[in-house]
Amino acid sequence: MTAIDTQKKDNAPAERVEQRPTATPAVDIYENRDQIVLLADLPGVSPANLTVHFERGELLLRGSREASGDRPAFDYVRSFVLPKGIDGEAIAAELDAGVLKVTLSKPPQKSRQIPVRAKV
Amino acid sequence: MLVRWSDWDTPFDSFADLRRRFDRLFDEVGAPRREGSGHAGRLELTDEGERFVFRAELPGVAEKDVDLVVEDDVLTLRAKRSVEPPAGWVAHRRERPAYEVARAFTLPTRVDAERSVATLEHGVLTVSLPKERAAVPRKIQIQSRA
């Protein structure tokens, strides 16, 4: 009898691993010769509730929002794999009117013209 | 022994290519579901007894681009943001929409426009709308007849 009870328990809906629901913020990414700029809409996120994390070439954004009205608290989460050679120390992030702007510096381009010699 | 995977793989290349094409297609179709794509973010109105609280997600909107009017029991909101890619930059992703909000809301009761307060913080507009005195709920004391 006990065994059956245990089994019943096992069939209960699986527990959620994520504690808080998450949402994917809308993002723009622009690039020029020296920089990559990432813009993300994070309305209602204060600088204190926002983390921008860079590790092993991956940029992770996470912004928390408090519960408001009938919506429970949730997190904006999004991560990006950055091109190789991005200087982690030179990443700048600023939050203005609910829009996050992350500026990344690209490694200097070392291009070299290789002269071709003709064999006579 | 050296196995030449590249030769062995060749006939499957077209399949891999097909799969990549499908992946790309589905990436586009099933792009991450976003809050408020194509228009401004969420709007909500809550009744807190003595007042209504109206909230609107307006990321990227400056104070000067918000126009808010309260008249009797009607709240009118106008807001706008334009998203222009900087000149000389290549766009890799463009998900953030330009939008324009122009909406009027009829509130359940009349509100006191004089005491209404609005703040715009971190891209969220919050408007506190105190109800007119007559509309504020009152607790009625029950008298017992001895």
Short mmCIF file of all heavy atoms in Angstrom, two decimals, chain A residues 23-32 35-37 39-47 65 68-71 76 78 80 97-99, chain B residues 32-35 42 44 46 55 57-62 81 83-86 88-97 121-124:
data_model
loop_
_atom_site.label_atom_id
_atom_site.label_comp_id
_atom_site.label_asym_id
_atom_site.label_seq_id
_atom_site.Cartn_x
_atom_site.Cartn_y
_atom_site.Cartn_z
N ALA A 23 11.36 36.45 -18.99
CA ALA A 23 10.90 37.01 -20.26
C ALA A 23 12.14 37.35 -21.09
O ALA A 23 13.20 37.62 -20.54
CB ALA A 23 10.07 38.25 -20.02
N THR A 24 11.98 37.30 -22.40
CA THR A 24 13.09 37.62 -23.29
C THR A 24 12.97 39.07 -23.76
O THR A 24 11.98 39.41 -24.39
CB THR A 24 13.06 36.70 -24.52
OG1 THR A 24 12.98 35.35 -24.05
CG2 THR A 24 14.30 36.86 -25.36
N PRO A 25 13.92 39.90 -23.43
CA PRO A 25 13.80 41.30 -23.85
C PRO A 25 14.13 41.47 -25.34
O PRO A 25 14.91 40.70 -25.89
CB PRO A 25 14.84 42.01 -22.98
CG PRO A 25 15.86 40.97 -22.66
CD PRO A 25 15.13 39.66 -22.64
N ALA A 26 13.53 42.46 -25.96
CA ALA A 26 13.83 42.78 -27.36
C ALA A 26 15.19 43.47 -27.41
O ALA A 26 15.53 44.27 -26.55
CB ALA A 26 12.76 43.69 -27.93
N VAL A 27 15.96 43.13 -28.43
CA VAL A 27 17.35 43.58 -28.50
C VAL A 27 17.69 44.08 -29.91
O VAL A 27 17.24 43.54 -30.90
CB VAL A 27 18.28 42.40 -28.12
CG1 VAL A 27 19.69 42.63 -28.58
CG2 VAL A 27 18.25 42.17 -26.62
N ASP A 28 18.47 45.14 -29.96
CA ASP A 28 19.08 45.60 -31.23
C ASP A 28 20.58 45.42 -31.09
O ASP A 28 21.14 45.70 -30.02
CB ASP A 28 18.82 47.09 -31.46
CG ASP A 28 17.40 47.37 -31.92
OD1 ASP A 28 16.66 46.41 -32.18
OD2 ASP A 28 17.04 48.55 -32.00
N ILE A 29 21.24 44.97 -32.15
CA ILE A 29 22.70 44.88 -32.13
C ILE A 29 23.25 45.58 -33.36
O ILE A 29 22.84 45.29 -34.49
CB ILE A 29 23.19 43.41 -32.08
CG1 ILE A 29 22.67 42.73 -30.81
CG2 ILE A 29 24.73 43.36 -32.10
CD1 ILE A 29 23.00 41.25 -30.73
N TYR A 30 24.14 46.53 -33.11
CA TYR A 30 24.78 47.26 -34.21
C TYR A 30 26.28 47.07 -34.12
O TYR A 30 26.84 46.90 -33.03
CB TYR A 30 24.47 48.76 -34.10
CG TYR A 30 23.01 49.09 -34.23
CD1 TYR A 30 22.30 49.57 -33.13
CD2 TYR A 30 22.36 48.91 -35.43
CE1 TYR A 30 20.95 49.87 -33.24
CE2 TYR A 30 21.01 49.21 -35.55
CZ TYR A 30 20.31 49.70 -34.45
OH TYR A 30 18.98 49.99 -34.56
N GLU A 31 26.93 47.15 -35.28
CA GLU A 31 28.37 46.98 -35.29
C GLU A 31 29.00 47.96 -36.27
O GLU A 31 28.46 48.20 -37.35
CB GLU A 31 28.70 45.54 -35.72
CG GLU A 31 30.17 45.25 -35.77
CD GLU A 31 30.49 43.80 -36.12
OE1 GLU A 31 29.54 43.02 -36.32
OE2 GLU A 31 31.67 43.45 -36.17
N ASN A 32 30.11 48.55 -35.86
CA ASN A 32 30.91 49.28 -36.84
C ASN A 32 32.33 48.74 -36.79
O ASN A 32 32.56 47.64 -36.28
CB ASN A 32 30.82 50.80 -36.63
CG ASN A 32 31.58 51.28 -35.42
OD1 ASN A 32 32.22 50.51 -34.71
ND2 ASN A 32 31.51 52.57 -35.16
N GLN A 35 33.51 48.92 -32.81
CA GLN A 35 32.65 48.61 -31.68
C GLN A 35 31.41 47.80 -32.06
O GLN A 35 30.96 47.82 -33.19
CB GLN A 35 32.18 49.91 -31.02
CG GLN A 35 33.28 50.64 -30.28
CD GLN A 35 32.75 51.89 -29.61
OE1 GLN A 35 31.96 52.63 -30.18
NE2 GLN A 35 33.17 52.12 -28.38
N ILE A 36 30.88 47.13 -31.03
CA ILE A 36 29.58 46.48 -31.16
C ILE A 36 28.71 47.11 -30.08
O ILE A 36 29.15 47.26 -28.93
CB ILE A 36 29.69 44.96 -30.93
CG1 ILE A 36 30.55 44.32 -32.02
CG2 ILE A 36 28.31 44.32 -30.90
CD1 ILE A 36 30.88 42.86 -31.76
N VAL A 37 27.50 47.52 -30.44
CA VAL A 37 26.59 48.11 -29.47
C VAL A 37 25.34 47.26 -29.37
O VAL A 37 24.77 46.86 -30.39
CB VAL A 37 26.23 49.57 -29.85
CG1 VAL A 37 25.08 50.08 -29.01
CG2 VAL A 37 27.44 50.48 -29.67
N LEU A 39 21.53 47.06 -27.59
CA LEU A 39 20.48 47.80 -26.89
C LEU A 39 19.38 46.82 -26.49
O LEU A 39 18.95 46.01 -27.31
CB LEU A 39 19.89 48.88 -27.79
CG LEU A 39 20.85 49.98 -28.27
CD1 LEU A 39 20.27 50.69 -29.48
CD2 LEU A 39 21.14 50.97 -27.16
N ALA A 40 18.94 46.89 -25.25
CA ALA A 40 17.88 45.98 -24.80
C ALA A 40 16.80 46.76 -24.06
O ALA A 40 17.11 47.60 -23.22
CB ALA A 40 18.47 44.91 -23.89
N ASP A 41 15.54 46.47 -24.38
CA ASP A 41 14.41 47.10 -23.67
C ASP A 41 14.17 46.39 -22.36
O ASP A 41 13.78 45.21 -22.35
CB ASP A 41 13.14 47.00 -24.53
CG ASP A 41 13.11 48.03 -25.65
OD1 ASP A 41 13.94 48.96 -25.61
OD2 ASP A 41 12.26 47.90 -26.55
N LEU A 42 14.41 47.08 -21.26
CA LEU A 42 14.20 46.49 -19.93
C LEU A 42 13.37 47.43 -19.07
O LEU A 42 13.84 47.94 -18.05
CB LEU A 42 15.55 46.22 -19.25
CG LEU A 42 16.56 45.33 -19.98
CD1 LEU A 42 17.92 45.38 -19.31
CD2 LEU A 42 16.05 43.90 -20.02
N PRO A 43 12.10 47.67 -19.46
CA PRO A 43 11.30 48.62 -18.69
C PRO A 43 11.10 48.14 -17.25
O PRO A 43 10.87 46.95 -17.03
CB PRO A 43 9.97 48.68 -19.45
CG PRO A 43 9.91 47.41 -20.22
CD PRO A 43 11.33 47.07 -20.57
N GLY A 44 11.20 49.06 -16.31
CA GLY A 44 10.94 48.73 -14.92
C GLY A 44 12.11 48.12 -14.18
O GLY A 44 11.98 47.72 -13.03
N VAL A 45 13.26 48.04 -14.85
CA VAL A 45 14.44 47.47 -14.19
C VAL A 45 15.35 48.61 -13.74
O VAL A 45 15.73 49.45 -14.55
CB VAL A 45 15.20 46.52 -15.14
CG1 VAL A 45 16.49 46.01 -14.50
CG2 VAL A 45 14.32 45.35 -15.55
N SER A 46 15.67 48.63 -12.44
CA SER A 46 16.57 49.66 -11.93
C SER A 46 18.00 49.15 -12.02
O SER A 46 18.23 47.94 -12.10
CB SER A 46 16.21 49.99 -10.49
OG SER A 46 16.47 48.87 -9.68
N PRO A 47 18.99 50.05 -12.02
CA PRO A 47 20.38 49.60 -12.11
C PRO A 47 20.73 48.59 -11.03
O PRO A 47 21.52 47.67 -11.27
CB PRO A 47 21.17 50.90 -11.94
CG PRO A 47 20.25 51.98 -12.37
CD PRO A 47 18.87 51.52 -12.01
N ARG A 65 12.37 42.24 -12.14
CA ARG A 65 11.26 43.17 -11.97
C ARG A 65 10.39 42.75 -10.81
O ARG A 65 10.08 41.58 -10.64
CB ARG A 65 10.41 43.23 -13.24
CG ARG A 65 10.93 44.26 -14.19
CD ARG A 65 9.95 44.50 -15.27
NE ARG A 65 8.80 45.27 -14.79
CZ ARG A 65 7.94 45.84 -15.62
NH1 ARG A 65 8.06 45.70 -16.90
NH2 ARG A 65 6.93 46.53 -15.14
N SER A 68 3.92 43.74 -9.99
CA SER A 68 3.11 44.96 -10.04
C SER A 68 1.74 44.60 -10.57
O SER A 68 1.62 43.80 -11.49
CB SER A 68 3.78 46.02 -10.90
OG SER A 68 3.45 45.84 -12.26
N GLY A 69 0.73 45.21 -9.99
CA GLY A 69 -0.64 44.88 -10.40
C GLY A 69 -0.89 43.40 -10.16
O GLY A 69 -0.60 42.89 -9.09
N ASP A 70 -1.37 42.70 -11.20
CA ASP A 70 -1.64 41.28 -11.01
C ASP A 70 -0.54 40.43 -11.65
O ASP A 70 -0.71 39.23 -11.83
CB ASP A 70 -3.02 40.91 -11.55
CG ASP A 70 -3.20 41.37 -12.99
OD1 ASP A 70 -2.24 41.95 -13.53
OD2 ASP A 70 -4.29 41.15 -13.55
N ARG A 71 0.59 41.07 -11.99
CA ARG A 71 1.67 40.29 -12.59
C ARG A 71 2.73 39.98 -11.54
O ARG A 71 3.21 40.87 -10.85
CB ARG A 71 2.31 41.07 -13.74
CG ARG A 71 3.42 40.27 -14.39
CD ARG A 71 3.73 40.71 -15.77
NE ARG A 71 4.14 42.10 -15.84
CZ ARG A 71 4.72 42.62 -16.93
NH1 ARG A 71 4.91 41.87 -17.99
NH2 ARG A 71 5.06 43.87 -16.94
N TYR A 76 14.02 39.46 -16.71
CA TYR A 76 14.39 39.52 -18.12
C TYR A 76 15.74 38.82 -18.23
O TYR A 76 16.68 39.17 -17.50
CB TYR A 76 14.59 40.97 -18.57
CG TYR A 76 13.32 41.76 -18.73
CD1 TYR A 76 13.01 42.80 -17.86
CD2 TYR A 76 12.45 41.49 -19.78
CE1 TYR A 76 11.86 43.55 -18.03
CE2 TYR A 76 11.29 42.24 -19.95
CZ TYR A 76 11.01 43.26 -19.07
OH TYR A 76 9.87 44.00 -19.24
N ARG A 78 18.69 37.17 -21.04
CA ARG A 78 19.13 36.89 -22.40
C ARG A 78 20.65 36.80 -22.43
O ARG A 78 21.32 37.55 -21.72
CB ARG A 78 18.66 38.00 -23.34
CG ARG A 78 18.74 37.59 -24.77
CD ARG A 78 17.61 38.10 -25.59
NE ARG A 78 17.79 37.67 -26.96
CZ ARG A 78 17.19 38.21 -28.00
NH1 ARG A 78 16.35 39.20 -27.82
NH2 ARG A 78 17.41 37.77 -29.21
N PHE A 80 24.29 36.13 -24.99
CA PHE A 80 24.85 36.20 -26.34
C PHE A 80 26.26 35.66 -26.34
O PHE A 80 27.01 35.90 -25.39
CB PHE A 80 24.91 37.66 -26.82
CG PHE A 80 23.57 38.31 -26.86
CD1 PHE A 80 23.09 38.98 -25.75
CD2 PHE A 80 22.78 38.23 -27.99
CE1 PHE A 80 21.83 39.57 -25.77
CE2 PHE A 80 21.54 38.81 -28.03
CZ PHE A 80 21.06 39.48 -26.91
N ALA A 97 16.23 55.31 -19.26
CA ALA A 97 14.79 55.22 -19.57
C ALA A 97 14.36 53.78 -19.88
O ALA A 97 13.58 53.54 -20.79
CB ALA A 97 14.44 56.14 -20.73
N GLY A 98 14.91 52.83 -19.12
CA GLY A 98 14.52 51.44 -19.31
C GLY A 98 15.17 50.76 -20.49
O GLY A 98 14.77 49.67 -20.89
N VAL A 99 16.18 51.41 -21.08
CA VAL A 99 16.91 50.79 -22.20
C VAL A 99 18.38 50.62 -21.79
O VAL A 99 19.03 51.57 -21.40
CB VAL A 99 16.82 51.65 -23.48
CG1 VAL A 99 17.61 51.01 -24.61
CG2 VAL A 99 15.37 51.85 -23.89
N PRO B 32 12.26 34.49 -30.39
CA PRO B 32 11.84 34.61 -29.01
C PRO B 32 10.63 35.51 -28.85
O PRO B 32 10.57 36.58 -29.45
CB PRO B 32 13.07 35.22 -28.34
CG PRO B 32 14.08 35.48 -29.39
CD PRO B 32 13.68 34.71 -30.58
N ARG B 33 9.68 35.01 -28.12
CA ARG B 33 8.46 35.77 -27.89
C ARG B 33 8.82 36.98 -27.02
O ARG B 33 9.49 36.85 -26.01
CB ARG B 33 7.43 34.91 -27.18
CG ARG B 33 6.04 35.24 -27.55
CD ARG B 33 5.14 34.01 -27.50
NE ARG B 33 5.55 33.05 -26.50
CZ ARG B 33 5.08 33.03 -25.26
NH1 ARG B 33 4.23 33.94 -24.86
NH2 ARG B 33 5.47 32.09 -24.42
N ARG B 34 8.42 38.12 -27.47
CA ARG B 34 8.84 39.32 -26.76
C ARG B 34 7.64 40.05 -26.21
O ARG B 34 6.56 39.99 -26.74
CB ARG B 34 9.60 40.24 -27.69
CG ARG B 34 10.90 39.65 -28.16
CD ARG B 34 11.62 40.63 -29.01
NE ARG B 34 10.89 40.94 -30.21
CZ ARG B 34 10.97 40.21 -31.31
NH1 ARG B 34 11.73 39.15 -31.34
NH2 ARG B 34 10.30 40.54 -32.38
N GLU B 35 7.92 40.74 -25.14
CA GLU B 35 6.91 41.59 -24.56
C GLU B 35 6.76 42.81 -25.45
O GLU B 35 7.72 43.50 -25.72
CB GLU B 35 7.38 42.06 -23.18
CG GLU B 35 7.60 40.91 -22.22
CD GLU B 35 6.43 40.76 -21.30
OE1 GLU B 35 5.86 41.79 -20.92
OE2 GLU B 35 6.09 39.63 -20.95
N ARG B 42 3.34 46.68 -21.92
CA ARG B 42 2.12 46.39 -21.20
C ARG B 42 1.50 47.64 -20.56
O ARG B 42 2.20 48.53 -20.08
CB ARG B 42 2.53 45.45 -20.10
CG ARG B 42 1.53 44.50 -19.62
CD ARG B 42 2.23 43.67 -18.56
NE ARG B 42 1.35 43.51 -17.43
CZ ARG B 42 0.67 42.41 -17.21
NH1 ARG B 42 0.79 41.39 -18.03
NH2 ARG B 42 -0.13 42.31 -16.17
N GLU B 44 -1.48 48.64 -17.63
CA GLU B 44 -2.36 48.03 -16.63
C GLU B 44 -2.96 49.07 -15.72
O GLU B 44 -2.39 50.13 -15.48
CB GLU B 44 -1.60 46.96 -15.82
CG GLU B 44 -0.48 47.51 -14.98
CD GLU B 44 0.25 46.44 -14.18
OE1 GLU B 44 0.34 45.30 -14.64
OE2 GLU B 44 0.74 46.78 -13.10
N THR B 46 -4.86 49.28 -11.92
CA THR B 46 -5.27 48.58 -10.71
C THR B 46 -6.07 49.51 -9.82
O THR B 46 -5.80 50.71 -9.76
CB THR B 46 -4.07 48.03 -9.91
OG1 THR B 46 -3.02 49.00 -9.93
CG2 THR B 46 -3.54 46.74 -10.47
N ARG B 55 -0.30 51.94 -15.01
CA ARG B 55 1.11 51.76 -15.35
C ARG B 55 1.25 51.44 -16.84
O ARG B 55 0.45 50.66 -17.38
CB ARG B 55 1.74 50.62 -14.55
CG ARG B 55 1.98 50.96 -13.10
CD ARG B 55 2.78 49.86 -12.42
NE ARG B 55 2.70 50.01 -10.98
CZ ARG B 55 1.74 49.52 -10.22
NH1 ARG B 55 0.77 48.83 -10.77
NH2 ARG B 55 1.74 49.73 -8.92
N GLU B 57 4.36 50.48 -19.74
CA GLU B 57 5.78 50.26 -20.06
C GLU B 57 6.11 51.05 -21.31
O GLU B 57 5.55 50.81 -22.37
CB GLU B 57 6.02 48.77 -20.33
CG GLU B 57 5.91 47.91 -19.10
CD GLU B 57 6.14 46.45 -19.42
OE1 GLU B 57 6.22 46.08 -20.61
OE2 GLU B 57 6.22 45.65 -18.46
N LEU B 58 7.00 52.00 -21.15
CA LEU B 58 7.39 52.84 -22.29
C LEU B 58 8.91 52.93 -22.37
O LEU B 58 9.48 54.01 -22.18
CB LEU B 58 6.79 54.25 -22.12
CG LEU B 58 5.26 54.36 -22.01
CD1 LEU B 58 4.86 55.77 -21.62
CD2 LEU B 58 4.59 53.97 -23.32
N PRO B 59 9.58 51.82 -22.65
CA PRO B 59 11.04 51.89 -22.67
C PRO B 59 11.54 52.81 -23.77
O PRO B 59 11.00 52.81 -24.87
CB PRO B 59 11.46 50.43 -22.94
CG PRO B 59 10.27 49.80 -23.58
CD PRO B 59 9.08 50.48 -22.99
N GLY B 60 12.55 53.59 -23.44
CA GLY B 60 13.18 54.45 -24.44
C GLY B 60 12.42 55.74 -24.73
O GLY B 60 12.75 56.44 -25.66
N VAL B 61 11.38 56.03 -23.93
CA VAL B 61 10.61 57.25 -24.15
C VAL B 61 11.05 58.33 -23.16
O VAL B 61 11.12 58.07 -21.96
CB VAL B 61 9.09 56.97 -24.01
CG1 VAL B 61 8.30 58.27 -24.00
CG2 VAL B 61 8.61 56.07 -25.13
N ALA B 62 11.35 59.51 -23.68
CA ALA B 62 11.74 60.62 -22.82
C ALA B 62 10.49 61.30 -22.27
O ALA B 62 9.41 61.20 -22.87
CB ALA B 62 12.59 61.61 -23.61
N ARG B 81 8.19 56.73 -29.49
CA ARG B 81 9.64 56.63 -29.57
C ARG B 81 10.01 56.23 -31.00
O ARG B 81 9.30 55.47 -31.65
CB ARG B 81 10.21 55.63 -28.57
CG ARG B 81 10.29 54.21 -29.08
CD ARG B 81 11.31 53.40 -28.30
NE ARG B 81 11.27 52.00 -28.71
CZ ARG B 81 11.81 51.01 -28.01
NH1 ARG B 81 12.38 51.26 -26.86
NH2 ARG B 81 11.75 49.78 -28.46
N VAL B 83 13.11 54.61 -33.36
CA VAL B 83 14.34 53.84 -33.25
C VAL B 83 15.06 53.95 -34.58
O VAL B 83 14.63 53.38 -35.57
CB VAL B 83 14.03 52.36 -32.93
CG1 VAL B 83 15.31 51.54 -32.86
CG2 VAL B 83 13.27 52.25 -31.63
N GLU B 84 16.10 54.74 -34.59
CA GLU B 84 16.84 54.91 -35.84
C GLU B 84 18.22 54.31 -35.71
O GLU B 84 18.96 54.62 -34.78
CB GLU B 84 16.95 56.39 -36.20
CG GLU B 84 15.79 56.85 -37.06
CD GLU B 84 15.43 58.29 -36.80
OE1 GLU B 84 16.35 59.10 -36.63
OE2 GLU B 84 14.22 58.59 -36.75
N PRO B 85 18.55 53.42 -36.64
CA PRO B 85 19.89 52.84 -36.57
C PRO B 85 20.93 53.93 -36.82
O PRO B 85 20.74 54.76 -37.72
CB PRO B 85 19.90 51.80 -37.69
CG PRO B 85 18.78 52.20 -38.60
CD PRO B 85 17.79 52.93 -37.78
N PRO B 86 21.99 53.96 -36.03
CA PRO B 86 23.02 54.97 -36.23
C PRO B 86 23.64 54.84 -37.61
O PRO B 86 23.84 53.72 -38.10
CB PRO B 86 24.03 54.69 -35.12
CG PRO B 86 23.73 53.32 -34.62
CD PRO B 86 22.30 53.05 -34.93
N GLY B 88 26.16 54.50 -40.54
CA GLY B 88 27.49 53.90 -40.65
C GLY B 88 27.66 52.63 -39.83
O GLY B 88 28.75 52.10 -39.76
N TRP B 89 26.56 52.18 -39.19
CA TRP B 89 26.64 50.94 -38.42
C TRP B 89 25.86 49.86 -39.14
O TRP B 89 24.84 50.13 -39.78
CB TRP B 89 26.05 51.13 -37.02
CG TRP B 89 26.83 52.04 -36.13
CD1 TRP B 89 27.01 53.39 -36.30
CD2 TRP B 89 27.54 51.69 -34.94
NE1 TRP B 89 27.78 53.88 -35.28
CE2 TRP B 89 28.12 52.87 -34.43
CE3 TRP B 89 27.73 50.49 -34.26
CZ2 TRP B 89 28.89 52.88 -33.27
CZ3 TRP B 89 28.49 50.49 -33.09
CH2 TRP B 89 29.07 51.68 -32.62
N VAL B 90 26.33 48.63 -38.99
CA VAL B 90 25.63 47.50 -39.57
C VAL B 90 24.70 46.94 -38.49
O VAL B 90 25.12 46.77 -37.35
CB VAL B 90 26.64 46.41 -39.99
CG1 VAL B 90 25.91 45.22 -40.60
CG2 VAL B 90 27.66 46.97 -40.96
N ALA B 91 23.45 46.68 -38.85
CA ALA B 91 22.52 46.12 -37.87
C ALA B 91 22.52 44.60 -37.95
O ALA B 91 22.34 44.04 -39.03
CB ALA B 91 21.13 46.67 -38.12
N HIS B 92 22.76 43.95 -36.82
CA HIS B 92 22.71 42.48 -36.79
C HIS B 92 21.36 42.00 -36.30
O HIS B 92 20.89 40.94 -36.66
CB HIS B 92 23.79 41.93 -35.86
CG HIS B 92 25.17 42.14 -36.38
ND1 HIS B 92 25.60 41.57 -37.55
CD2 HIS B 92 26.21 42.86 -35.91
CE1 HIS B 92 26.84 41.93 -37.78
NE2 HIS B 92 27.24 42.72 -36.80
N ARG B 93 20.78 42.77 -35.40
CA ARG B 93 19.49 42.41 -34.86
C ARG B 93 18.66 43.65 -34.67
O ARG B 93 19.16 44.64 -34.15
CB ARG B 93 19.67 41.73 -33.50
CG ARG B 93 19.23 40.31 -33.52
CD ARG B 93 19.70 39.65 -32.29
NE ARG B 93 20.60 38.57 -32.68
CZ ARG B 93 20.48 37.34 -32.22
NH1 ARG B 93 19.54 37.06 -31.37
NH2 ARG B 93 21.31 36.42 -32.60
N ARG B 94 17.41 43.61 -35.11
CA ARG B 94 16.54 44.77 -34.92
C ARG B 94 15.21 44.27 -34.42
O ARG B 94 14.32 43.96 -35.19
CB ARG B 94 16.38 45.52 -36.24
CG ARG B 94 17.70 45.95 -36.81
CD ARG B 94 17.77 47.39 -37.26
NE ARG B 94 16.75 48.26 -36.74
CZ ARG B 94 16.21 49.24 -37.46
NH1 ARG B 94 16.57 49.42 -38.68
NH2 ARG B 94 15.31 50.01 -36.91
N GLU B 95 15.11 44.14 -33.14
CA GLU B 95 13.88 43.64 -32.54
C GLU B 95 13.09 44.74 -31.85
O GLU B 95 11.89 44.62 -31.63
CB GLU B 95 14.21 42.56 -31.50
CG GLU B 95 14.94 41.38 -32.06
CD GLU B 95 15.48 40.45 -30.99
OE1 GLU B 95 15.36 40.77 -29.80
OE2 GLU B 95 16.04 39.41 -31.35
N ARG B 96 13.80 45.80 -31.47
CA ARG B 96 13.14 46.86 -30.71
C ARG B 96 12.34 47.75 -31.66
O ARG B 96 12.91 48.37 -32.53
CB ARG B 96 14.17 47.69 -29.95
CG ARG B 96 14.96 46.86 -28.94
CD ARG B 96 16.14 47.62 -28.38
NE ARG B 96 15.73 48.84 -27.73
CZ ARG B 96 16.05 50.06 -28.16
NH1 ARG B 96 16.74 50.22 -29.25
NH2 ARG B 96 15.65 51.10 -27.49
N PRO B 97 11.04 47.76 -31.48
CA PRO B 97 10.22 48.50 -32.43
C PRO B 97 10.16 49.99 -32.10
O PRO B 97 10.26 50.39 -30.94
CB PRO B 97 8.85 47.86 -32.25
CG PRO B 97 8.83 47.42 -30.82
CD PRO B 97 10.24 47.09 -30.44
N GLU B 121 9.78 56.39 -14.62
CA GLU B 121 11.02 55.89 -14.03
C GLU B 121 11.42 54.57 -14.67
O GLU B 121 10.63 53.64 -14.74
CB GLU B 121 10.82 55.70 -12.52
CG GLU B 121 12.13 55.56 -11.79
CD GLU B 121 11.95 55.32 -10.29
OE1 GLU B 121 10.88 54.84 -9.88
OE2 GLU B 121 12.89 55.60 -9.55
N HIS B 122 12.66 54.49 -15.13
CA HIS B 122 13.20 53.29 -15.77
C HIS B 122 12.27 52.77 -16.86
O HIS B 122 12.03 51.57 -16.98
CB HIS B 122 13.47 52.18 -14.75
CG HIS B 122 14.34 52.61 -13.61
ND1 HIS B 122 15.55 53.25 -13.80
CD2 HIS B 122 14.18 52.53 -12.28
CE1 HIS B 122 16.09 53.52 -12.64
NE2 HIS B 122 15.29 53.11 -11.69
N GLY B 123 11.71 53.70 -17.62
CA GLY B 123 10.88 53.30 -18.75
C GLY B 123 9.49 52.83 -18.39
O GLY B 123 8.80 52.25 -19.22
N VAL B 124 9.06 53.10 -17.16
CA VAL B 124 7.69 52.76 -16.78
C VAL B 124 6.98 54.01 -16.28
O VAL B 124 7.47 54.72 -15.40
CB VAL B 124 7.64 51.67 -15.67
CG1 VAL B 124 6.20 51.40 -15.25
CG2 VAL B 124 8.30 50.38 -16.14
#
